[in-house]
Amino acid sequence: MNFAMWKKALTVIPNVSKQEWDGLDVISKWLISTRAAVLVMTFISAALAGLFAWRAGSFSFVPWIALALGLILAHASNNIFNDYTDYVRGVDKDNYYRTLYGTQPVADGLMTKRQHLTYFAVTGLIALVFGLYLIWYTGFSATTWILLGLGAFFVLFYTWPLKGMAMGELAVLIVWGPLMIGGGYYVLTGKWDWNVTIASLPYVLGVTTVIFGKHIDKIILDTKKGIHTLPVVIGEKAARYSVLAMMIVPYLLTAYLIATKFFTPFMAIVLLAIPAFLKIYPVFLKPKPETAPEGQLGWPLFFVGYAFFNNRKFGSLFMLGLLVDAVLRIFLPAFWR
């Protein structure tokens, strides 16, 4: 058991040589293959669904654990399948950006295609078991079946054809917000709440800016390879301004939910993220520079880092605000009614 590699794979996406790979245990290989460091985004969506259910008085720990593990494993299986799909379609060939994301097990010759598909099948099957448990838990609800079906659809078809049809960014918006948070809330409470769906958007818009930023960075390469991401379709300038809009809208949505008393005024804590936005927004007013600015990390990736920085600031405050909001509503219900 290589606990040091487990920790590393959960915090970054490591590059490993063939010799290092052959000496790793199966869990380390799985964590690297699934790009486990990014699975935290899915855990946060599951945590938000749990917080919304808790403040509604309908939280149950075992179903929430099943929800969180099911979503995380579904995301993990999607990451494995995405790498496989990109490899067999030739997307990874001569793609220098991919080397920045860490090890690509099939493309780097660390695993055979059959081994890679085996990882995908086992991971996806376990995710499905959790999904079927939640269907049983909700009394075989038709809505839960629909949610499971939508989840399976996005797992299988995000990279191809959705991403290449300018629908990948929309898929991220739908999956990490309304589907995971709104749907997770439904599974835990037995009811659909459109306010929860709206309340999922401030967080998921930040996640979407990150994928937008990455696709802006790759716009030239994606254009050459015929991958029609949304930035490729609408153009680089429109994509940059779309990111800025998605950074501003979460504040407006949070204000709306406070005004309608869905959120307590404590959610205004997200305003503390404004200095981070003011720091990075000028970057998106201009095209990507032709050469790496001094001190720039991760080049040729550029916009994605700034989007991630802004999302981390806003998202952490949003999570903190929602936790306090839930505590206030549970323990001081008369005061916040």
Side-chain angles (χ1 to χ4, degrees), residues 207-255:
V207 174
T208 308
T209 65
V210 176
I211 196 71
F212 243 88
K214 186 174 76 172
H215 289 169
I216 297 172
D217 289 334
K218 300 196 304 173
I219 195 168
I220 295 176
L221 186 62
D222 283 342
T223 300
K224 290 179 179 178
K225 288 183 172 286
I227 302 172
H228 299 98
T229 62
L230 193 52
V232 169
V233 172
I234 67 177
E236 191 263 0
K237 183 176 181 179
R240 286 189 283 108
Y241 279 88
S242 295
V243 170
L244 287 174
M246 287 188 287
M247 290 178 176
I248 294 170
V249 168
Y251 294 100
L252 302 179
L253 289 172
T254 303

Side-chain angles (χ1 to χ4, degrees), residues 25 111 147 164 201 206 210 216 242 260 273 277 294 325:
D25 60 89
M111 300 175 72
L147 292 170
L201 296 179
V210 176
I216 297 172
S242 295
T260 58
F277 170 73
E294 184 178 354
D325 178 275

Side-chain angles (χ1 to χ4, degrees), residues 128 170 181 194 196 287 291:
L128 178 61
L170 178 62
I181 301 175
W194 284 107
V196 171
T291 58

